[in-house]
Amino acid sequence: MFCDCLPYDHSYTPSTSRVVMKPNAIDVFRDWFALALKDSPLQHPKAMCLSTVNEDAIPEARFVALKKVSDEGFVFCSSLESPKALSIATHSNVALTFWWDHIERQVRIRGQASQISDADAEYYFHERRRDAQLTTLASQQSTPLSSQAELEESLRVIKKRYEGHQIPRPHTWGGYCVKPEKIEFLEFQKNRLHIRTLYIFSRGKWSKFLLQP
């Protein structure tokens, strides 16, 4: 949660929820996400923190880009040989966290990650900018690198090889869909009476609960 490190504002009056908390947690997320994207000052407003547990039961976290949200879940893409992919292969339970400072809202998600189809992976790969596609081919994510010059030379070779041609998706590049089991929405309040709403998915429907801050 947030540390109580800011001076208390005695003139502050807590507000009520500014977005209707609908029965479906995914619909609520769509509302909040749209609000976060509108006139956003953030350079990467679609960034989310993905937390996994590796084979040694050690947690790891990193930021990835949200590609899609639907009733099926939250989609992100990655190398299928990356540490995050290896962790998911061992422990499919993952967590996602969004924090949008400019609207003072947080979303925490817990669920099961499963690999997306090859067809979806093809779509998301070719949706990316060309320079991102080239970098994917030039880089072996998270493996040791002797120098930045080595990677830049690899990129130069790949760029020349595919000049004027479509860039093929590597078979080691794909994505995951996180099927949510719990989603918690937090509206930050300056007096620390944060509004926390927890949704739990069970037996095909969402249940909603208020939590103390």
Side-chain angles (χ1 to χ4, degrees):
M1 197 49 63
F2 302 92
C3 86
D4 194 7
C5 53
L6 295 177
Y8 183 82
D9 182 1
H10 293 276
S11 66
Y12 181 78
T13 301
S15 64
T16 57
S17 177
R18 290 161 288 178
V19 172
V20 175
M21 303 303 284
K22 299 174 180 177
N24 187 316
I26 300 298
D27 290 339
V28 177
F29 180 87
R30 289 192 181 103
D31 288 342
W32 283 36
F33 192 45
L35 186 62
L37 294 180
K38 183 180 180 182
D39 301 324
S40 174
L42 303 177
Q43 188 171 355
H44 302 288
K46 297 181 181 180
M48 60 184 182
C49 182
L50 166 69
S51 300
T52 58
V53 178
N54 66 22
E55 61 181 3
D56 297 317
I58 298 174
E60 297 178 320
R62 78 290 284 164
F63 282 90
V64 296
L66 175 64
K67 292 292 186 180
K68 178 184 178 182
V69 58
S70 70
D71 287 335
E72 295 304 310
F74 299 78
V75 175
F76 67 92
C77 293
S78 170
S79 165
L80 301 178
E81 296 180 340
S82 66
K84 70 177 81 66
L86 298 178
S87 291
I88 290 172
T90 304
H91 301 289
S92 61
N93 289 308
V94 304
L96 304 172
T97 308
F98 294 84
W99 166 242
W100 300 301
D101 183 73
H102 61 299
I103 60 172
E104 298 187 308
R105 299 190 185 202
Q106 173 184 269
V107 181
R108 298 169 60 204
I109 300 162
R110 194 178 79 186
Q112 296 277 335
S114 59
Q115 195 171 324
I116 63 175
S117 67
D118 284 342
D120 285 344
E122 285 286 340
Y123 171 80
Y124 290 121
F125 182 79
H126 293 293
E127 183 187 50
R128 306 173 84 203
R129 299 191 315 272
R130 185 174 178 86
D131 59 346
Q133 295 178 30
L134 289 167
T135 297
T136 297
L137 265 68
S139 171
Q140 296 179 315
Q141 191 178 112
S142 298
T143 59
L145 182 66
S146 61
S147 69
Q148 189 66 19
E150 175 189 342
L151 184 59
E152 291 173 355
E153 174 60 17
S154 176
L155 179 60
R156 186 192 67 78
V157 171
I158 292 293
K159 187 174 182 180
K160 184 176 181 180
R161 180 184 304 168
Y162 291 104
E163 188 174 0
H165 300 282
Q166 185 182 54
I167 302 168
R169 175 183 68 91
H171 71 278
T172 56
W173 194 93
Y176 296 88
C177 180
V178 178
K179 182 70 173 177
E181 298 169 350
K182 292 184 177 182
I183 303 180
E184 181 194 309
F185 299 90
L186 181 146
E187 298 179 68
F188 184 82
Q189 304 288 310
K190 287 184 173 63
N191 66 353
R192 296 307 189 264
L193 287 179
H194 311 312
I195 302 172
R196 294 177 62 190
T197 308
L198 173 65
Y199 287 79
I200 298 177
F201 191 77
S202 178
R203 298 180 181 180
K205 66 177 183 178
W206 289 100
S207 299
K208 181 173 65 172
F209 308 88
L210 282 176
L211 301 178
Q212 296 200 43

